[in-house]
């Protein structure tokens, strides 16, 4: 047994089997780490998008409801009519039934007495101490979530064992002279938040363990109701990091993300949307893959060891025979011959070489030394040549990379470089909320320059304008030839007022600077600032382009500001 285990056949089998197992283990560990990281990133981006979609939906709903109440309070009916008139009551009924989550909508006089309400609810009651009335007499008001007080006994809860909760909207009513006439208010059931959440949750959210929490500015849970006062948001979870793995109170490692509800309303409630998913659920596919990889490693190793064992048999048998013959010669058997059956050309050559080994040993040694020296010289020469070639290749690749992003005519960045910078600045703005602007400009009547003076002069004009732009903008700004006679200037960390000043300066500088041959050229410039409604960097450029078109339409050689979303 010991002789068998010490043999070449067994050693080759064990060696290749161990190598196969080790390589398989290393590869599977790498794949497992890579897949885990990618799966974590993918799932994190997915739940972050869910949180963002929900927060956008909530912000839009709050903004629309407040706007609806403000506009209704300013309508001629409420301004001119008596607040307890039938027309006012009819309008309130219509407003309530136009949005199914309104539980109550009504108007009070200046003392807080409810004069009229949809369906007549609470008419005659005094709401002077309610926050919506106290704040509503001064201006538009959005109140944070609270339980029903006056309506608790009049309305049926949406969910058993859960109190009715409202979000209040209020606005002052003023008569034609601008004097306070009363307050218009509405109570929207909290149910609309639940439905907004379900709209954006994936179909298999429950099976995947995806949970959504709505928290207030103090990070106290508002939804779901069963988690109110019981669940606590991890301290490290904040909007600056899109997502991450955090340990919650349950002691689990949970993939979590948070997104603020940025509603442009009279006051910011500070709501935030938290979406989480247990890591074990999010990475369940990785665990299944790991099991399959272990099974595959075992099968592959077993098959390889079997093949190596069969292959090594053909190699080891002639070698074992040669060993026996060498042992007989050592023992003085002069009649023995090297009669060994070889199954390969290499072994036949080996046997033939052994027959003449003694005579050729010394000469072969010198020849081998000479060959080794020549090989070392050739390897050294080729290594140097390869290094030189690699250096030239790296230089060429760097040059090509620069040329790919540079406009050949003006030396400015080209459209590819501009698109990359626009994308980077848009992502930085989304992450840090730092304002930035884009100037999109076009040389007026450039076609006439080409038609009158020729394309060579037109190229000189483009280069001349490019140099003026480079000397006019700041070091932190970026300018590119965006196409034809069109140029784009990106202004990081700049508000629209500063962008407009710079655009005016550029417009005046170009118009006042004589241009060879054509004497004078002018620019039309469109200015746009990043807006919360921008879905991508192309939206900002599109609005700047629309402003540029308006500048052309309004007479050229001027600056126009784009309207924001």
């Amino acid at each position: 047994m010991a002789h068998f285990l010490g043999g070449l056949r067994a050693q080759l089998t064990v060696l290749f089997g161990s190598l196969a197992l080790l390589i398989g283990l290393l590869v599977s560990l790498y794949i497992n780490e890579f897949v885990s990281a990618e799966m974590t990133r993918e799932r994190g981006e997915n739940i972050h998008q869910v949180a963002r979609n929900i927060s956008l939906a909530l912000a839009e709903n709050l903004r629309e409801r407040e706007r609806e109440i403000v506009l209704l309070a300013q309508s001629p009916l409420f301004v001119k009519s008596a607040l307890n008139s039938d027309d006012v009551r009819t309008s309130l009924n219509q407003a309530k039934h136009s949005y199914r989550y309104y539980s109550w909508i009504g108007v009070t006089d200046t003392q807080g007495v409810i004069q009229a309400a949809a369906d007549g609810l609470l008419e005659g009651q005094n709401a002077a101490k309610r926050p919506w009335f106290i704040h509503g007499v001064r201006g538009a008001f959005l109140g944070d979530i609270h339980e029903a007080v006056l309506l608790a006994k009049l309305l049926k809860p949406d969910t058993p064992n859960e109190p009715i909760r409202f979000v209040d909207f209020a606005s002052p009513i003023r008569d034609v002279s601008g004097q306070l006439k009363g307050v218009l208010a509405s109570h929207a059931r909290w149910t609309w938040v639940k439905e907004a959440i379900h709209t954006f949750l994936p179909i298999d959210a429950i099976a995947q363990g995806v949970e959504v929490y709505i928290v207030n500015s103090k990070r106290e849970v508002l939804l779901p109701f069963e988690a109110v006062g019981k669940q606590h948001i991890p301290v490290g979870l904040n909007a600056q990091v899109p997502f991450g793995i955090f340990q919650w109170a349950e002691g689990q490692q949970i993939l979590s993300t948070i997104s603020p509800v940025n509603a442009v309303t009279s006051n910011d409630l500070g709501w935030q949307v938290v979406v989480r998913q247990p890591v074990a659920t999010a990475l369940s596919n990785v665990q299944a893959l790991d099991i399959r990889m272990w099974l595959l490693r075992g099968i592959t190793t077993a098959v390889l060891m079997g093949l190596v064992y069969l292959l090594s048999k053909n190699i080891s048998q002639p070698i074992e025979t040669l060993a026996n013959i060498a042992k007989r010669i050592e023992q003085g058997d002069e009649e023995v011959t090297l009669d060994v059956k070889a199954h390969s050309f290499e072994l036949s050559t080996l046997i033939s070489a052994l027959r003449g080994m003694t005579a050729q040993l010394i000469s072969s040694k010198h020849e081998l030394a000479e060959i080794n020296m020549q090989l070392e010289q050739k390897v050294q020469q080729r290594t140097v040549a390869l290094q030189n070639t690699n250096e030239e290749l790296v230089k060429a690749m760097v040059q090509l990379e620069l040329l790919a992003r540079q406009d050949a005519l003006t030396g400015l960045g080209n459209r590819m470089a501009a698109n990359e910078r626009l994308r980077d600045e848009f992502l930085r703005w989304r992450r840090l909320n730092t304002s930035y602007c884009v100037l999109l400009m076009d040389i007026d009547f450039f076609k006439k320059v080409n038609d009158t003076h020729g394309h060579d002069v037109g190229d000189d004009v483009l280069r001349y304008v490019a140099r003026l732009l480079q000397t006019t903008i700041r070091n932190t700004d970026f300018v590119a030839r965006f196409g034809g006679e069109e140029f784009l200037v990106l202004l990081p960390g700049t508000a629209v007022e500063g962008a407009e000043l710079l655009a005016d300066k550029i417009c005046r500088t170009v118009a006042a600077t004589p241009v060879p041959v054509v004497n004078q050229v002018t620019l039309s410039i469109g200015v746009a600032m990043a807006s919360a409604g921008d879905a991508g960097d192309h939206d900002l450029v599109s609005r700047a382009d629309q402003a540029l078109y308006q500048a052309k339409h309004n007479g050229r050689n001027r600056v126009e500001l784009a309207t924001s979303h």
Side-chain angles (χ1 to χ4, degrees):
M1 184 66 179
H3 175 73
F4 172 76
L5 293 177
L8 178 62
R9 195 181 312 175
Q11 289 179 1
L12 286 174
T13 302
V14 173
L15 175 62
F16 280 89
S18 300
L19 285 174
L21 190 61
L22 178 60
I23 293 173
L25 180 61
L26 293 176
V27 169
S28 65
L29 287 174
Y30 173 78
I31 292 175
N32 189 56
E33 288 295 320
F34 176 81
V35 172
S36 295
E38 283 299 303
M39 185 68 71
T40 301
R41 181 187 62 79
E42 178 185 353
R43 294 304 302 168
E45 291 176 350
N46 287 344
I47 65 171
H48 182 66
Q49 188 60 47
V50 170
R52 178 169 171 76
N53 289 340
I54 294 173
S55 65
L56 289 174
L58 296 183
E60 180 64 21
N61 191 290
L62 290 172
R63 187 162 52 249
E64 284 299 312
R65 298 287 75 75
E66 182 181 84
R67 179 173 175 272
E68 185 178 57
I69 293 302
V70 171
L71 291 177
L72 186 60
Q74 295 172 355
S75 65
L77 175 63
F78 287 81
V79 171
K80 298 178 180 180
S81 301
L83 295 182
N84 59 357
S85 67
D86 291 337
D87 289 340
V88 168
R89 191 172 287 103
T90 299
S91 179
L92 293 173
N93 283 325
Q94 291 173 347
K96 177 184 177 184
H97 296 298
S98 68
Y99 182 62
R100 62 194 180 95
Y101 297 108
Y102 280 151
S103 290
W104 183 85
I105 181 168
V107 294
T108 73
D109 58 16
T110 57
Q111 303 304 313
V113 178
I114 299 173
Q115 299 296 307
D119 302 326
L121 289 176
L122 302 181
E123 288 186 359
Q125 296 283 336
N126 193 317
K129 295 183 179 181
R130 304 304 302 153
W132 58 262
F133 175 82
I134 296 171
H135 294 279
V137 297
R138 295 193 293 267
F141 171 71
L142 167 60
D144 209 340
I145 181 173
H146 65 88
E147 293 185 11
V149 179
L150 298 176
L151 292 172
K153 297 179 180 180
L154 302 177
L155 300 177
K156 182 180 179 181
D158 296 317
T159 304
N161 303 321
E162 182 175 338
I164 301 174
R165 295 190 289 174
F166 295 131
V167 175
D168 297 335
F169 302 88
S171 178
I173 303 172
R174 300 186 183 279
D175 59 23
V176 293
S177 64
Q179 294 299 313
L180 181 67
K181 186 177 180 181
V183 174
L184 170 64
S186 68
H187 301 331
R189 283 183 184 248
W190 182 243
T191 312
W192 66 269
V193 176
K194 296 181 181 179
E195 297 201 9
I197 291 173
H198 289 302
T199 300
F200 292 100
L201 280 179
I203 297 175
D204 60 344
I206 296 178
Q208 292 295 321
V210 177
E211 296 178 294
V212 178
Y213 294 91
I214 307 297
V215 301
N216 61 16
S217 58
K218 298 178 181 179
R219 298 171 72 90
E220 297 169 339
V221 175
L222 302 177
L223 184 81
F225 181 76
E226 55 270 16
V228 174
K230 300 176 182 177
Q231 187 60 272
H232 301 283
I233 308 303
V235 176
L237 182 58
N238 58 72
Q240 279 67 46
V241 180
F243 56 86
I245 297 177
F246 299 88
Q247 184 166 341
W248 286 60
E250 305 96 304
Q252 286 184 296
Q253 292 293 315
I254 299 180
L255 186 63
S256 312
T257 184
I258 190 168
S259 178
V261 179
N262 295 321
V264 184
T265 52
S266 56
N267 57 306
D268 185 6
L269 298 180
W271 289 358
Q272 299 180 87
V273 179
V274 177
V275 180
R276 69 175 199 167
Q277 182 181 26
V279 172
T281 305
L283 303 184
S284 59
N285 291 339
V286 178
Q287 297 173 353
L289 176 63
D290 192 45
I291 294 174
R292 289 194 292 270
M293 289 295 294
W294 274 105
L295 181 60
L296 180 61
R297 280 198 301 273
I299 295 174
T300 302
T301 302
V303 171
L304 182 61
M305 291 180 71
L307 292 175
V308 170
Y309 182 83
L310 295 176
L311 180 63
S312 63
K313 181 178 180 182
N314 291 331
I315 298 174
S316 64
Q317 277 186 339
I319 296 175
E320 291 169 1
T321 302
L322 283 175
N324 291 331
I325 292 174
K327 189 173 182 180
R328 288 170 62 186
I329 293 174
E330 183 185 20
Q331 293 173 352
D333 188 351
E334 298 180 358
E335 302 297 327
V336 69
T337 58
L338 289 172
D339 185 13
V340 180
K341 293 181 179 181
H343 300 285
S344 64
F345 172 77
E346 290 80 5
L347 283 175
S348 298
T349 303
L350 175 63
I351 294 169
S352 176
L354 286 174
R355 292 190 181 104
M357 180 178 59
T358 302
Q360 298 295 327
L361 184 59
I362 296 177
S363 60
S364 296
K365 180 180 179 180
H366 290 294
E367 291 176 1
L368 183 60
E370 181 67 21
I371 291 172
N372 284 338
M373 185 176 64
Q374 294 176 359
L375 285 174
E376 288 177 359
Q377 292 176 350
K378 289 182 179 180
V379 168
Q380 186 175 7
Q381 293 172 355
R382 292 182 180 180
T383 300
V384 172
L386 182 60
Q387 289 175 344
N388 293 335
T389 301
N390 286 338
E391 291 175 359
E392 292 298 325
L393 181 60
V394 170
K395 292 179 181 178
M397 290 177 67
V398 171
Q399 187 64 26
L400 286 174
E401 182 71 17
L402 291 174
L403 291 175
R405 288 165 173 77
Q406 187 179 57
D407 178 57
L409 178 64
T410 63
L412 301 177
N414 59 14
R415 194 180 188 102
M416 178 188 293
N419 287 335
E420 290 176 349
R421 288 293 297 271
L422 285 167
R423 181 61 179 168
D424 291 343
E425 195 60 35
F426 176 78
L427 294 176
R428 182 163 36 251
W429 171 69
R430 284 294 195 199
R431 185 174 65 256
L432 304 176
N433 199 25
T434 56
S435 61
Y436 73 100
C437 293
V438 162
L439 310 183
L440 196 61
M441 56 196 72
D442 186 272
I443 301 175
D444 296 327
F445 303 110
F446 184 73
K447 183 177 184 301
K448 184 177 179 180
V449 173
N450 282 333
D451 292 343
T452 304
H453 303 285
H455 289 280
D456 289 341
V457 173
D459 290 346
D460 290 339
V461 170
L462 289 172
R463 284 190 286 266
Y464 199 76
V465 171
R467 287 194 296 273
L468 286 177
L469 290 176
Q470 286 179 308
T471 58
T472 305
I473 65 173
R474 304 167 301 185
N475 293 335
T476 56
D477 300 334
F478 170 78
V479 60
R481 184 184 177 194
F482 209 54
E485 66 273 20
E486 195 171 55
F487 296 87
L488 180 142
V489 176
L490 175 64
L491 307 175
T494 304
V496 69
E497 295 81 5
E500 184 179 11
L501 289 175
L502 180 60
D504 286 335
K505 179 182 178 182
I506 292 172
C507 196
R508 292 194 306 272
T509 300
V510 172
T513 304
V515 180
V517 181
V518 299
N519 189 30
Q520 183 190 44
V521 295
T522 61
L523 296 179
S524 295
I525 305 177
V527 182
M529 186 176 79
S531 172
D534 292 341
D537 55 280
H538 57 278
D539 289 349
L540 178 58
V541 175
S542 177
R543 289 191 286 108
D545 187 56
Q546 292 173 6
L548 170 60
Y549 175 80
Q550 190 63 37
K552 292 282 189 182
H553 181 73
N554 290 341
R556 296 182 169 85
N557 190 24
R558 61 186 291 115
V559 176
E560 290 290 344
L561 297 181
T563 57
S564 61
H565 291 289

